[in-house]
């Protein structure tokens, strides 16, 4: 999974990126200090892996990973090439989802491109640029199929053109493509356009260190972000980028104590990963043994043969069955042999829909 970290200049975007990836992107109190996207690959924290690896004395542990891309700051007019607009837009197009960092703190020492702090205005500034870029994409597609659609001679083109007109009317109202109600057939056409405003979004409300603690969800600026996100079917997490930066320098035990002092259960990174998985409908199944214990990320609803194909295409082609046991049950039984003896291992066929936390041994023959 590739997540694009975006936001207006000086909202704490690169600070947050550094904290969650330890990638060391340059930070400065001026726009566009991130010109080429910085990339960091982050292991997805998963206690299940550690426990299974201990059970099997695994030589190798391989977690699922998320690739974070820190994308250059955006200003008004990016869709027309202002600032670093064209690069910004092209890098977003390559991502599966967007983590949109929104400034929800006042600090006279940190400049704001609009001189005032207004999270909804900032969100709409970026969203409008994405929508304007999408309008251009839709116009190009309309021009390409206009002649084929004319008169209804090419029925598929005529159907697509009618959908494009509906989509264009929606975008011209400054509404993101993600909010357009579509049928299953229309969703296929929408997905094929790879529109920027159709991508799932998580808003990262970046608060000050002074505002951290139990009441952060009720901060006025955070509430504005939540209300906006609810209307636009987006996710929201509350983070303090500066604190995340401090946590990144600590060992795990000290970080745990630090979070507890603020009444927090988890880091911003964990919040962001959970929100990303939820937004994209992702789950992980597990394989475990002496050689390796590993997490495999799949879309919720994936059937056993396709899940096997994540390991190797031969597993899917020659799929016979999947031997499945829940990870907690496997631990309680002391391993696969014990789980079999207690009748806890299920033999599942081609129609089995994988569940989060399944530990699987695939049987196949090619």
């Amino acid at each position: 999974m590739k997540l694009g970290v975006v936001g207006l200049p000086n909202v704490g975007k690169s600070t947050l990126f550094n904290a969650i990836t330890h990638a060391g992107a340059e930070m400065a109190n001026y726009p566009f200090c991130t010109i080429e996207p910085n990339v960091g690959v982050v292991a997805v924290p998963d206690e299940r892996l550690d426990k299974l690896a201990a059970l099997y004395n695994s030589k190798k542990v391989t977690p699922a990973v998320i690739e974070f891309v820190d994308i250059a700051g955006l200003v008004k007019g990016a869709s027309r090439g202002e600032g670093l607009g064209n690069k910004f837009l092209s890098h977003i197009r390559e991502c599966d989802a967007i983590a949109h960092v929104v400034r929800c703190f006042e600090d006279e020492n940190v400049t704001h491109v609009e001189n005032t702090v207004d999270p909804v205005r900032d969100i709409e500034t970026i969203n409008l640029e994405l929508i304007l870029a999408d309008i251009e994409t839709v116009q190009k597609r309309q021009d390409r199929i206009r002649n084929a659609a004319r008169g209804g001679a090419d029925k598929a083109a005529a159907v697509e053109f009618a959908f494009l007109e509906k989509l264009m009317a929606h975008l011209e109202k400054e509404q993101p493509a993600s909010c357009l109600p579509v049928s299953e057939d229309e969703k296929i056409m929408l997905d094929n356009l790879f529109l920027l405003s159709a991508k799932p979004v998580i808003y990262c409300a970046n608060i000050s260190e002074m505002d951290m603690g139990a009441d952060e969800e009720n901060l006025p600026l955070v509430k504005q972000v939540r209300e906006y996100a609810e209307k636009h079917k987006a996710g929201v997490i509350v983070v303090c980028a500066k604190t995340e930066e401090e946590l990144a320098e600590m060992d795990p035990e000290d970080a745990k104590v630090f979070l507890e002092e603020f009444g927090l259960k988890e880091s911003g990174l964990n919040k962001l990963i959970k929100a990303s998985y939820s937004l994209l409908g992702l789950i992980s199944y597990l394989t475990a043994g002496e050689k390796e214990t590993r997490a495999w990320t799949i879309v919720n609803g994936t059937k056993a043969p396709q899940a096997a194909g994540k390991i190797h295409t031969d597993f899917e082609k020659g799929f016979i069955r999947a031997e499945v046991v829940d990870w907690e049950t496997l631990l309680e039984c002391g391993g696969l042999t014990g789980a079999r003896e207690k009748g806890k291992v299920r033999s599942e066929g081609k129609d089995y829909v994988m569940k989060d936390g399944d530990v699987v041994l695939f049987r196949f023959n090619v």
Side-chain angles (χ1 to χ4, degrees):
M1 175 167 58
K2 183 182 285 190
L3 208 62
V5 185
V6 307
L8 288 171
N10 301 335
V11 297
K13 177 173 57 64
S14 291
T15 302
L16 181 61
F17 174 83
N18 280 358
I20 60 181
T21 65
H22 296 225
E26 181 187 357
M27 287 177 294
N29 183 22
Y30 56 88
F32 312 133
C33 67
T34 308
I35 297 175
E36 292 299 327
N38 293 278
V39 178
V41 177
V42 177
V44 175
D46 193 335
E47 64 170 1
R48 302 172 300 188
L49 288 179
D50 296 330
K51 292 178 179 179
L52 290 171
L55 175 67
Y56 282 96
N57 292 315
S58 303
K59 295 176 182 176
K60 185 180 180 183
V61 178
T62 306
V65 297
I66 295 180
E67 186 175 319
F68 287 94
V69 183
D70 181 27
I71 299 171
L74 182 67
V75 293
K76 285 181 181 177
S79 59
R80 302 187 304 275
E82 294 290 332
L84 300 170
N86 293 332
K87 284 187 177 183
F88 174 94
L89 298 173
S90 67
H91 292 315
I92 290 181
R93 207 176 294 279
E94 297 167 5
C95 295
D96 299 303
I98 296 170
H100 184 160
V101 183
V102 186
R103 181 168 167 174
C104 291
F105 66 89
E106 298 279 357
D107 188 339
E108 61 183 21
N109 296 316
V110 180
T111 60
H112 190 290
V113 290
E114 297 288 348
N115 297 318
T116 57
V117 177
D118 183 338
V120 171
R121 177 204 59 208
D122 293 353
I123 288 170
E124 290 181 339
T125 295
I126 286 187
N127 285 353
L128 179 58
E129 296 308 320
L130 302 185
I131 290 166
L132 291 173
D134 287 345
I135 286 174
E136 185 178 344
T137 298
V138 174
Q139 285 174 336
K140 286 179 179 177
R141 182 61 186 166
Q142 284 179 316
D143 292 342
R144 196 170 296 126
I145 67 168
R146 191 182 306 277
N147 289 337
R150 190 171 287 142
D154 185 330
K155 291 184 179 179
V159 169
E160 183 182 358
F161 195 84
F163 168 69
L164 292 174
E165 288 185 315
K166 170 184 170 181
L167 174 58
M168 181 65 82
H170 176 81
L171 293 172
E172 286 177 340
K173 292 176 184 175
E174 298 185 2
Q175 294 297 312
S178 58
C179 293
L180 177 68
V182 291
S183 65
E184 287 186 19
D185 289 340
E186 287 175 334
K187 186 178 186 309
I188 293 170
M189 290 186 281
L190 181 63
D191 290 345
N192 287 338
L193 291 167
F194 300 101
L195 299 182
L196 302 174
S197 70
K199 291 186 181 295
V201 179
I202 300 165
Y203 293 112
C204 304
N206 184 19
I207 63 174
S208 71
E209 293 170 289
M210 296 290 292
D211 288 330
M212 282 184 62
D215 202 39
E216 62 189 31
E217 296 290 338
N218 292 315
L219 295 170
L221 296 177
V222 172
K223 277 187 171 181
Q224 291 178 31
V225 175
R226 286 203 176 280
E227 289 169 3
Y228 186 92
E230 285 174 13
K231 290 179 184 176
H232 294 85
K233 302 176 184 177
V236 180
I237 65 167
V238 180
V239 298
C240 173
K242 291 292 290 181
T243 298
E244 292 299 318
E245 194 174 29
E246 293 173 29
L247 283 170
E249 301 299 323
M250 299 181 187
D251 63 55
E253 283 305 314
D254 288 342
K256 185 178 178 182
V257 172
F258 185 88
L259 287 169
E260 288 173 354
E261 287 177 356
F262 283 97
L264 302 174
K265 296 178 181 178
E266 57 188 347
S267 69
L269 172 60
N270 283 8
K271 286 182 187 177
L272 185 53
I273 288 172
K274 286 181 180 178
S276 302
Y277 268 64
S278 175
L279 196 66
L280 293 172
L282 302 176
I283 61 172
S284 293
Y285 75 86
L286 314 166
T287 53
E290 186 178 337
K291 287 185 177 180
E292 182 184 38
T293 292
R294 181 165 181 166
W296 303 86
T297 300
I298 56 174
V299 175
N300 195 9
T302 299
K303 292 185 177 180
Q306 288 70 49
K310 291 284 287 185
I311 299 175
H312 197 285
T313 53
D314 285 350
F315 282 34
E316 182 175 358
K317 290 176 184 174
F319 180 88
I320 299 172
R321 68 180 185 277
E323 295 179 7
V324 184
V325 59
D326 176 73
W327 74 278
E328 289 180 307
T329 302
L330 185 65
L331 287 173
E332 290 167 5
C333 296
L336 198 58
T337 301
R340 282 202 181 101
E341 290 172 354
K342 294 180 181 179
K344 299 294 185 179
V345 179
R346 309 186 310 275
S347 182
E348 303 286 1
K350 293 182 177 180
D351 292 328
Y352 176 68
V353 177
M354 302 292 292
K355 295 182 176 61
D356 189 49
D358 278 347
V359 182
V360 191
L361 177 62
F362 292 109
R363 300 294 185 183
F364 71 102
N365 183 32
V366 178

